[in-house]
């Protein structure tokens, strides 16, 4: 693509179309841009378009967004796909982008700044050493639009230092940055502070100046996070004195008006200062000690003078976190130990910041999803309540008796106020429930809820007196905040409360599924799901299916009704509760499925038009999967009913290429096909089969595992049909693509093992030599632990299926004496790396066959390796699995790949169970003993000398035990 005006106009038109609300206009434009992005000069065309002032701002911003996404997709070089960006383009982009970003309008500057930070993640500092110098020299311009652009980029580039694990590479990079950036940043900080005085009466100038100070403080936090840099330690006085001045500054013209809800610059700056001093108090307390008292005083004053408006939430939250950090350090604890100080903190800081405010009530009613995220999903890290709760926990850790005594009196007073006038004083009880929940919960996990408690109240008595009565009231829509609090109490303390209280609450929770409040019915669904998944110490379900059957009609009816309530049409918590209810009820759910399955398929049709809730969609597909499993377990012919209901929807999903759903469809098709058993693949599946081999489907990472799973189901069900349709070569083409990839080679082995296991020998034999050549080529070009493990398992399976002599002959036909080198270089050093019950069994049986059923090993060219191979097999049985890796292991292990990704999510209820191709062999050690016995019969008197000279004393002892256990002997 040349940098011509015609190409710029064409690019501009396609970008315009990507903004169209009409999917028929938008989708082709997006596809076109995806297809041309591999062309040379494409990123430069985008940047030139973004830089053209005569192009409409909307198109320029769209171009900047497209460029950022292009960089995000392609800048990292993928081992399998290769470099999708031409080297000249990479260098040209780095030459252009910093200056272009700095003189662009703010909306474009932000996108390009993000792009710089993405490029920096991969290229900085080694491949982009002059980036910092390019940025620092802009500080001298005095133009704050440019300076703020540099600071935003620096913040974006350096903030990963807050999260990365310590390493020599990280230290080297941070040192490189500090050497070039710490001094200019400090000088800029001082100069900007001076400008606050120079422009004290110029409101517009102060806004720009204070905006710069906010970003400078953020960059300071990132650069100081890993360790205290020497430069900042030497210049701590400059930074801390100015931080203190900023924390106590009262700039009237920057104060927000009463009707503003968002934090102003002053609040943002003071919040960041609190973050910075909390970092120093926590990590560098010895160096920070001289400055601490004045900050404690100032933060205390700030807390008692700041009111309850939401715009101050982040500031108050960070200020409280600073106090919690200080209280947690042993040599500052004396500041808090006096009972009067603790009382003052509780009265003036903690209780006021735990009160349920009008703004919280508005959030509860008008933005229930955000309220839920904060309240039970843990995204409340920046809220007053969470920060006050954290401070309480720190104080109660060291002064539990005093804190419990102080709060106990508050709890009694507030409960009494509620009792006197529930309608007017419900907020008091809400504060009590929040206080009890936060103070009583010392240890908590998502799976088990609270695991430790403190002594503020007796949790069971409190539940019986103050929680369950709220749930037992007839009206489910009265005082919804308190109902939600009460459900949350049961949810959080479910492992601490007696079983009869928890299980006994299920009917009340089912009743509250009909509540109009989205928070209430969501909490009810969440609590039901968490209770149903609870286990007893022996691992069985705490709530038995027989206990759920009586409430099943109302439970299922109410759950599905809830999905018709406003805001909960795609409520993930409700769908997860549906899934868990089906799982708990098992066959007891079948009578309800006639009514419920049409509702599920209708919901699937609806969400497929515009998938927007990944968790809801996941649980919907899980629910369909478990329905198929439950029904087909009792009646395998019922699969036809599911196919009739689901195929039209699946056809639409595949035709419209709904990317989010395609992997799910493949998984459920696998599940449905497996229900047919082996024999014949139904016609609708065979019509689909050639489409599954199309290369375009295999280009998306999220499709690969479900597609392999589906192809395995095809092979397992009807290998003969596939062979008759001349599609075996297509399957082997898929294998060839997968085996060449470091990321997906294990999927190639899964597919190949299915072919070997299920296809007739005469179908596969013409192709097998080429398969072996491909495997050895990959072994020599890119030897990784994962590939070696897959290769050993496959060769072992091949030896079992076709005979060990066939395996040796095949390997040696590629190159003479190659099998001996394979034993020496792969089997002997790496076989102990094999993990997994089925994999280890296949390898053990395969090696046993090589030892005992292979003439070349016993009296042929490899007889000198026989004893060593037996010794290796005994070590495989008796020694621990090896964890060592190979030099090419820069990939993700298959078992380490997260189950839930944006591109692919494994359905637990559609997942294949571990398939054991050698189920006839119960114990591999016995199989070895019996095989050695048969070999000794065939070669009388020859094995004993081999064993006595070739095995160590320990290995002989182990072998003797195997022979004894199998009740056989060497003759």
């Amino acid at each position: 693509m040349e940098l011509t005006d015609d190409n710029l106009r064409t690019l501009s038109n396609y970008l315009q179309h990507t903004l169209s609300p009409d999917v028929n206009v938008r989708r082709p434009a997006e596809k076109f841009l995806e297809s041309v992005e591999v062309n040379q000069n494409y990123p430069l065309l985008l940047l030139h378009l973004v830089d053209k002032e005569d192009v409409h701002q909307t198109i320029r911003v769209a171009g900047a967004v497209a460029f950022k996404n292009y960089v995000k997709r392609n800048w990292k070089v993928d081992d399998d796909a290769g470099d999708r960006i031409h080297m000249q383009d990479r260098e040209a982009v780095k030459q252009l982008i910093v200056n272009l970003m700095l003189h662009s309008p703010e909306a474009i500057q932000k996108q390009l700044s993000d792009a710089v930070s993405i490029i920096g993640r991969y290229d900085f500092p080694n491949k982009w050493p002059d980036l910092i110098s390019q940025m620092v020299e802009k500080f001298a311009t005095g133009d704050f639009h440019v300076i703020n652009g540099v600071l935003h980029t620096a913040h974006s580039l350096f903030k990963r230092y807050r999260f990365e694990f310590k390493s020599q590479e990280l230290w080297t990079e941070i040192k490189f940055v500090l050497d070039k950036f710490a001094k200019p940043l400090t000088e800029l900080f001082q100069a900007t502070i001076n400008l606050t005085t120079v422009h004290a009466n110029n409101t517009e100038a102060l806004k720009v100046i204070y905006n710069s100070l906010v970003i400078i403080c953020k960059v300071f936090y990132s650069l100081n996070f890993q360790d205290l840099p020497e430069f900042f330690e030497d210049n701590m006085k400059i930074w801390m004195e100015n931080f203190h001045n900023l924390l106590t500054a009262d700039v009237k013209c920057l104060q927000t008006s009463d009707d503003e809800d968002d934090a102003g610059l002053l609040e943002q700056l003071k919040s960041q200062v609190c973050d910075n001093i909390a970092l120093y108090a926590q990590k560098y307390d010895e160096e920070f000690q001289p400055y601490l008292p004045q900050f404690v005083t100032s933060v205390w004053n700030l807390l008692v003078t700041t009111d309850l408006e939401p715009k101050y939430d982040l500031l108050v939250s960070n200020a409280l976190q600073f106090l919690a950090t200080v209280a947690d350090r042993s040599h500052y604890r004396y500041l808090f130990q006096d009972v009067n100080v603790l009382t003052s903190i509780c009265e003036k800081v903690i209780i006021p910041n735990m009160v349920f405010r009008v703004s919280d009530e508005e959030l509860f009613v008008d933005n229930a999803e955000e309220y839920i995220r904060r309240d039970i999903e843990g995204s409340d890290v920046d809220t007053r309540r969470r920060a006050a709760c954290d401070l309480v926990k720190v104080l109660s850790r060291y002064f539990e008796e005093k804190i419990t005594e102080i709060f106990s009196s508050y709890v009694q007073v507030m409960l009494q106020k509620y009792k006197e006038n529930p309608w007017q004083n419900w907020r008091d009880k809400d504060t009590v429930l929040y206080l009890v929940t936060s103070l009583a919960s010392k240890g908590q996990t998502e799976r088990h809820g609270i695991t430790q408690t403190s002594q503020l109240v007796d949790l069971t008595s409190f539940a019986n007196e103050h929680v369950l009565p709220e749930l037992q009231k007839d009206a489910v829509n009265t005082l919804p905040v308190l109902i939600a609090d009460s459900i949350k109490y049961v949810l959080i303390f479910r492992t601490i409360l007696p079983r009869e209280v928890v299980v006994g609450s299920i009917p009340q929770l089912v009743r509250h599924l009909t509540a109009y409040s989205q928070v209430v019915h969501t909490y009810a669904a969440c609590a039901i799901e968490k209770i149903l998944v609870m286990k007893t110490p022996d691992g069985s379900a705490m709530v038995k299916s027989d206990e759920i059957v009586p409430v099943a009609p109302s439970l299922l009816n109410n759950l599905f009704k809830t999905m018709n309530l406003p805001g909960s049409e795609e409520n993930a918590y409700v769908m997860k509760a549906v899934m868990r209810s089906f799982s708990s009820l098992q066959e007891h759910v079948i009578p309800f499925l006639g009514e419920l399955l049409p509702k599920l398929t209708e919901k699937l049709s609806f969400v497929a038009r515009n998938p927007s809730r990944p968790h809801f969609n996941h649980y919907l597909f899980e629910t369909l999967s478990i329905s198929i499993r439950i029904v087909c377990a009792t009646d395998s012919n019922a699969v036809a009913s599911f196919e009739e209901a689901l195929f039209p929807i699946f056809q639409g999903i595949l035709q419209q290429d709904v990317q989010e759903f395609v992997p799910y469809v493949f998984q459920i098709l696998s599940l449905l096909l497996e229900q047919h058993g082996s024999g014949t693949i139904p016609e609708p599946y065979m019509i689909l089969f050639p489409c599954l081999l199309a290369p375009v489907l295999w280009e998306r990472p999220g499709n690969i595992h479900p597609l392999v799973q589906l192809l395995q189901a095809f092979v397992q069900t009807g290998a003969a049909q596939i062979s008759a349709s001349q599609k075996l070569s297509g399957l082997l083409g898929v294998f060839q693509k997968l085996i060449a990839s470091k990321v997906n080679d294990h999927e190639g082995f899964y597919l190949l093992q299915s072919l070997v296991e299920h296809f007739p020998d005469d179908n596969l034999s013409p192709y097998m030599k080429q398969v072996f050549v491909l495997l050895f080529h990959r072994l020599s070009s890119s030897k990784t632990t994962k590939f070696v493990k897959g290769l050993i398992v496959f060769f072992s399976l091949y030896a079992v299926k076709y005979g060990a002599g066939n395996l040796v002959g095949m390997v040696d036909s590629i190159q003479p004496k190659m099998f001996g080198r394979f034993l020496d270089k792969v089997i002997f050093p790496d076989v102990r790396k094999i993990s997994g019950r089925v994999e280890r069994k296949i390898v053990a049986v395969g090696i046993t066959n090589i030892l005992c059923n292979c003439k070349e090993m016993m009296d042929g060219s490899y007889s000198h390796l026989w004893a060593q191979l037996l010794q290796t097999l005994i070590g495989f049985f008796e020694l621990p699995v090896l964890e060592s890796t190979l030099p090419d292991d820069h990939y993700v292990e298959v078992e380490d790949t997260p189950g839930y990704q944006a591109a692919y999510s494994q359905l637990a209820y559609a997942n294949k169970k571990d398939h054991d191709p050698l189920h006839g062999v119960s114990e591999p050690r016995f199989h070895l003993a019996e095989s050695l016995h048969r070999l000794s019969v065939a070669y009388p008197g020859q094995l004993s000398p081999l064993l006595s000279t070739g095995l160590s004393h320990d290995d002989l002892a182990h072998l003797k035990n195997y022979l004894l256990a199998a009740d056989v002997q060497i003759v």
Side-chain angles (χ1 to χ4, degrees):
M1 295 175 75
E2 298 301 317
L3 293 171
T4 62
D5 288 341
D6 284 347
N7 280 340
L8 285 170
R9 272 192 295 276
T10 304
L11 183 59
S12 177
N13 289 335
Y14 277 106
L15 285 169
Q16 177 80 56
H17 291 157
T18 63
L19 303 174
S20 171
D22 183 350
V23 70
N24 296 316
V25 175
R26 186 177 71 249
R27 190 65 67 81
E30 291 170 346
K31 293 279 186 192
F32 172 80
L33 291 177
E34 276 182 42
S35 70
V36 299
E37 70 177 21
V38 293
N39 294 347
Q40 187 167 1
N41 289 330
Y42 173 74
L44 304 182
L45 267 173
L46 276 174
L47 290 179
H48 278 82
L49 183 70
V50 166
D51 196 26
K52 285 179 78 70
E53 293 185 7
D54 56 342
V55 175
H56 194 278
Q57 174 87 345
T58 310
I59 305 297
R60 293 174 68 194
V61 172
V65 171
F67 177 80
K68 180 187 75 174
N69 291 334
Y70 165 82
V71 168
K72 190 184 292 184
R73 278 195 303 275
N74 300 308
W75 203 271
K76 182 184 180 184
V77 180
D78 189 297
D79 282 341
D80 297 332
D83 194 346
R84 289 168 56 87
I85 304 177
H86 293 261
M87 187 53 66
Q88 299 95 313
D89 286 352
R90 286 181 178 273
E91 294 306 316
V93 163
K94 288 187 283 194
Q95 293 279 330
L96 286 172
I97 191 166
V98 173
N99 281 326
L100 175 56
M101 172 195 73
L102 295 177
H103 72 246
S104 295
E106 193 172 340
I108 294 173
Q109 190 180 79
K110 185 180 186 312
Q111 301 301 327
L112 296 182
S113 174
D114 287 347
V116 170
S117 67
I118 295 166
I119 295 170
R121 194 180 308 151
Y122 302 112
D123 284 15
F124 176 78
N126 296 338
K127 296 179 185 175
W128 203 0
D130 58 344
L131 173 60
I132 298 292
S133 303
Q134 285 181 17
M135 289 163 52
V136 166
E137 67 186 25
K138 306 299 178 188
F139 287 165
T141 62
D143 180 344
F144 271 91
H145 174 72
V146 171
I147 289 170
N148 283 355
V150 171
L151 289 171
H152 273 297
T153 306
H155 172 51
S156 189
L157 200 60
F158 304 151
K159 67 182 177 186
R160 67 185 180 85
Y161 299 159
R162 306 176 182 192
F163 318 111
E164 296 230 345
F165 289 112
K166 294 181 177 181
S167 67
Q168 189 56 46
E169 188 181 355
L170 182 66
W171 289 127
T172 304
E173 181 182 326
I174 293 175
K175 184 180 186 312
F176 177 86
V177 170
L178 290 166
D179 288 346
K180 289 180 175 289
F181 203 76
K183 188 170 186 287
L185 183 72
T186 304
E187 289 169 353
L188 178 67
F189 180 54
Q190 288 177 287
T192 311
I193 290 284
N194 292 336
L195 288 174
T196 62
T197 308
V198 175
H199 297 283
N201 299 318
N202 185 339
T203 303
E204 292 308 309
L206 284 177
K207 286 180 181 176
V208 176
I209 291 164
Y210 272 84
N211 189 37
S212 299
L213 286 170
V214 171
I215 318 167
I216 289 170
C217 288
K218 288 181 178 180
V219 173
F220 174 91
Y221 186 87
S222 299
L223 294 179
N224 283 268
F225 190 87
Q226 289 283 342
D227 201 356
L228 178 57
E230 187 180 341
F231 181 87
F232 286 110
E233 184 177 354
D234 293 343
N235 291 275
M236 194 183 293
K237 190 171 189 287
I238 293 172
W239 286 93
M240 292 306 153
E241 287 183 356
N242 283 308
F243 280 164
H244 187 258
N245 292 337
L246 293 174
L247 190 64
T248 55
D250 185 16
V251 186
K252 300 292 184 191
C253 61
L254 292 183
Q255 289 179 350
T256 51
S257 58
D258 291 344
D259 58 350
E260 287 184 67
D261 290 334
D262 295 328
L265 283 171
L266 213 53
E267 288 76 48
Q268 292 175 40
L269 180 58
K270 292 183 179 186
S271 297
Q272 188 58 50
V273 169
C274 287
D275 254 355
N276 293 354
I277 60 176
L279 175 71
Y280 265 61
Q282 182 179 12
K283 301 183 81 167
Y284 319 123
D285 49 350
E286 187 179 331
E287 296 84 352
F288 183 59
Q289 205 159 355
Y291 304 97
L292 182 99
Q294 62 178 350
F295 279 114
V296 170
T297 303
S298 299
V299 168
W300 174 260
N301 290 335
L302 187 147
L303 282 169
V304 295
T305 56
T306 305
D307 64 28
L308 295 174
E309 291 175 63
K311 62 187 172 189
Y312 301 120
D313 283 4
L314 183 59
L315 172 57
V316 170
S317 168
N318 285 355
L320 287 167
Q321 291 292 358
F322 169 72
L323 284 187
T325 301
V326 174
D328 204 23
R329 314 304 290 177
S330 58
H331 43 275
Y332 300 144
R333 215 164 288 147
Y334 70 91
L335 294 170
F336 301 90
Q337 63 189 14
D338 186 270
V339 71
N340 295 321
V341 172
L342 289 172
T343 304
S344 184
I345 291 173
C346 295
E347 183 183 319
K348 294 180 179 175
V349 173
I350 293 172
I351 296 291
N353 285 301
M354 280 192 174
V355 168
F356 195 81
R357 300 165 299 168
V358 172
S359 60
D360 297 320
E361 190 175 0
E362 289 171 354
L363 194 69
F364 184 95
V365 174
D366 300 331
N367 191 355
E369 287 186 24
E370 179 59 24
Y371 182 90
I372 292 163
R373 261 195 295 273
R374 292 183 183 184
D375 197 39
I376 62 171
E377 289 182 9
S379 75
D380 59 343
V381 287
D382 294 330
T383 63
R384 291 171 183 254
R385 276 191 147 188
R386 171 66 177 270
C389 164
D390 289 346
L391 179 55
V392 169
K393 284 182 177 177
V394 171
L395 294 175
S396 60
R397 193 181 307 145
Y398 303 113
F399 316 109
E400 182 167 14
E401 197 174 312
K402 294 175 185 175
I403 288 289
T404 301
E405 189 179 329
I406 293 165
F407 278 123
S408 295
S409 59
Y410 280 111
V411 164
Q412 296 309 318
V413 169
M414 288 187 281
L415 285 174
Q416 185 57 38
K417 283 177 73 176
Y418 169 74
K419 196 173 179 182
E420 289 167 4
N421 191 338
W423 285 99
Q424 188 175 329
N425 299 326
W426 61 267
R427 291 176 199 276
D428 289 287
K429 183 163 185 180
D430 169 83
T431 305
V432 168
L433 286 166
Y434 189 86
L435 186 60
V436 168
T437 305
S438 58
L439 190 55
S441 53
K442 280 185 176 178
Q444 183 174 1
T445 66
E446 185 182 346
R447 183 174 182 83
H448 301 293
I450 296 303
T451 54
Q452 290 177 274
T453 61
S454 74
Q455 304 304 312
L456 180 62
V457 295
D458 178 271
L459 292 174
T460 305
S461 302
F462 189 86
N464 288 325
E465 292 172 31
H466 302 291
V467 175
L468 297 180
E470 296 293 344
L471 298 179
Q472 289 159 357
K473 291 177 180 175
D474 291 337
V476 296
N477 293 313
T478 317
L479 298 178
V481 175
L482 289 187
I483 294 173
D485 290 339
S486 302
I487 296 173
K488 181 184 168 188
Y489 186 96
V490 174
L491 172 67
I492 286 181
F493 295 117
R494 63 189 182 277
T495 56
I496 301 291
L497 293 170
R499 183 185 185 281
E500 59 271 17
V501 171
V502 177
V503 179
S505 68
I506 290 177
Q508 301 301 338
L509 296 171
V510 169
R511 206 166 56 86
H512 283 89
L513 289 169
T514 61
Y516 188 77
S517 164
Q518 188 179 340
V519 176
V520 170
H521 61 240
T522 299
Y523 281 20
C526 180
I528 290 168
E529 191 274 328
K530 295 291 188 194
I531 291 169
L532 291 182
V533 86
M534 288 174 70
K535 303 290 185 191
T536 58
D538 66 1
S540 62
M542 189 186 83
V543 185
K544 311 301 179 192
S545 59
D546 295 345
E547 295 177 281
I548 313 170
V549 169
V551 295
S554 53
L555 170 63
L556 296 170
N557 186 39
N558 289 358
L559 282 169
F560 277 83
K561 273 185 180 175
T562 302
M563 286 188 279
N564 295 324
L565 293 172
S568 283
E569 295 87 352
E570 296 176 48
N571 189 316
Y573 287 99
V574 175
M575 185 50 74
K576 192 176 185 183
V578 171
M579 175 196 77
R580 198 68 68 198
S581 301
F582 278 32
S583 175
S584 298
L585 285 164
Q586 287 294 315
E587 68 277 4
H588 298 297
V589 80
I590 294 175
F592 303 99
L593 290 179
E595 179 188 348
L596 299 183
L597 275 177
K599 293 182 180 179
L600 289 170
T601 52
E602 183 186 340
K603 187 65 79 174
L604 179 59
S605 296
F606 174 74
V607 297
R609 291 175 211 150
N610 182 25
S612 57
R613 304 295 179 100
H615 289 93
F616 176 86
N617 299 334
H618 183 83
Y619 297 129
L620 173 57
F621 279 103
E622 288 281 21
T623 304
L624 290 168
S625 302
I626 196 169
S627 303
I628 294 166
R629 281 210 183 276
I630 290 170
V631 174
C632 292
T634 55
D635 178 13
S636 59
N637 295 322
V639 69
S641 304
F642 285 102
E643 290 168 342
E644 185 183 342
L646 293 172
F647 272 19
I649 305 172
F650 287 177
Q651 188 175 5
I653 289 169
L654 294 173
Q655 284 175 345
Q656 292 163 30
D657 192 23
V658 184
Q659 292 186 23
E660 298 90 336
F661 282 6
V662 168
Y664 288 124
V665 169
F666 291 151
Q667 289 178 79
I668 292 191
L669 285 173
S670 302
L671 179 61
L672 290 168
L673 185 53
E674 284 163 14
Q675 307 308 313
H676 286 278
S678 60
T680 306
I681 302 169
E683 187 184 354
Y685 293 91
M686 281 308 294
I687 293 170
L688 175 66
F689 184 73
C691 306
L692 302 179
L693 305 178
V696 67
L697 275 179
W698 296 85
E699 287 172 8
R700 290 188 199 143
N703 286 351
I704 289 174
H705 182 72
L707 270 172
V708 170
Q709 194 176 323
L710 181 52
L711 291 182
Q712 286 180 289
F714 270 96
V715 170
Q716 186 178 329
T717 307
Q721 264 175 286
I722 295 171
S723 184
S725 65
Q726 307 293 308
K727 289 291 184 289
L728 176 56
S729 59
L731 282 171
L732 288 168
V734 170
F735 156 76
Q736 183 175 356
K737 178 180 173 63
L738 293 172
I739 212 70
S741 160
K742 282 186 184 180
V743 176
N744 299 312
D745 48 16
H746 61 284
E747 300 288 357
F749 280 120
Y750 293 157
L751 181 57
L752 183 60
Q753 286 164 23
S754 289
L755 297 179
V756 166
E757 192 179 344
H758 297 288
F759 264 82
D761 300 359
D762 54 347
N763 290 151
L764 272 181
S765 56
Y767 302 98
M768 285 315 297
K769 183 168 182 178
Q770 185 57 32
V771 167
F772 274 73
V773 169
L774 283 171
L775 293 172
F776 277 110
H777 176 72
R778 167 63 205 278
L779 182 66
S780 62
S781 64
S782 181
K783 183 180 179 182
T784 64
T785 302
K786 178 155 68 81
F787 179 80
V788 166
K789 287 160 69 173
L791 187 66
I792 293 172
V793 173
F794 168 67
F795 276 16
S796 301
L797 184 67
Y798 189 92
V800 174
K801 177 75 188 291
Y802 298 115
N806 195 320
L807 172 68
V808 174
M810 178 66 77
V811 174
D812 282 352
S813 72
I814 297 169
Q815 196 176 353
K817 307 292 183 184
M818 195 166 178
F819 187 74
R821 289 198 295 278
F822 176 74
L823 289 177
D824 196 39
K825 300 293 185 186
V826 178
I827 295 287
F828 294 155
D830 293 324
V831 73
R832 277 183 47 213
K833 294 176 181 175
I834 304 295
S835 56
R837 183 186 63 83
V838 173
E839 289 82 355
R840 288 180 65 83
K841 183 177 178 183
I842 291 170
V843 169
V845 174
I847 293 178
T848 299
N849 279 18
I850 294 168
L851 283 166
C852 302
N853 302 320
C854 180
K855 188 172 173 57
E856 290 85 347
M857 286 298 299
M858 197 58 204
D859 54 11
S861 53
Y862 299 123
S863 58
H864 63 288
L865 295 172
W866 190 89
Q868 188 179 354
L869 184 58
L870 177 58
Q871 190 171 5
T872 301
L873 181 56
I874 294 170
F876 178 72
F877 286 139
E878 302 300 334
L879 297 172
V881 173
L882 274 179
E883 300 294 341
S884 60
T885 56
L886 295 166
D888 275 0
D889 284 355
H890 47 90
Y891 58 87
V892 181
E893 276 280 11
V894 56
E895 55 267 29
D896 294 337
T897 306
Y900 193 93
Q901 300 172 359
Y904 164 64
S905 192
Q906 175 70 54
L907 291 171
Y909 293 113
N911 200 12
K912 285 180 71 172
K913 300 291 178 282
D914 266 356
H915 169 62
D916 183 358
L918 305 180
H919 52 80
V921 178
S922 57
E923 169 50 64
R925 291 174 176 83
F926 294 176
H927 178 71
L928 171 63
E930 289 159 359
S931 300
L932 286 171
H933 166 70
R934 287 193 295 272
L935 182 65
S936 72
V937 171
Y939 292 86
Q942 291 188 39
L943 250 62
S944 294
L946 266 177
L947 296 175
S948 59
T949 57
L951 295 186
S952 69
H953 177 75
D954 287 346
D955 288 338
L956 279 169
H958 290 308
L959 184 58
K960 186 178 179 183
N961 289 336
Y962 305 161
L963 294 164
L964 279 171
D967 196 21
V968 293
Q969 57 187 354
I970 304 293
V971 297

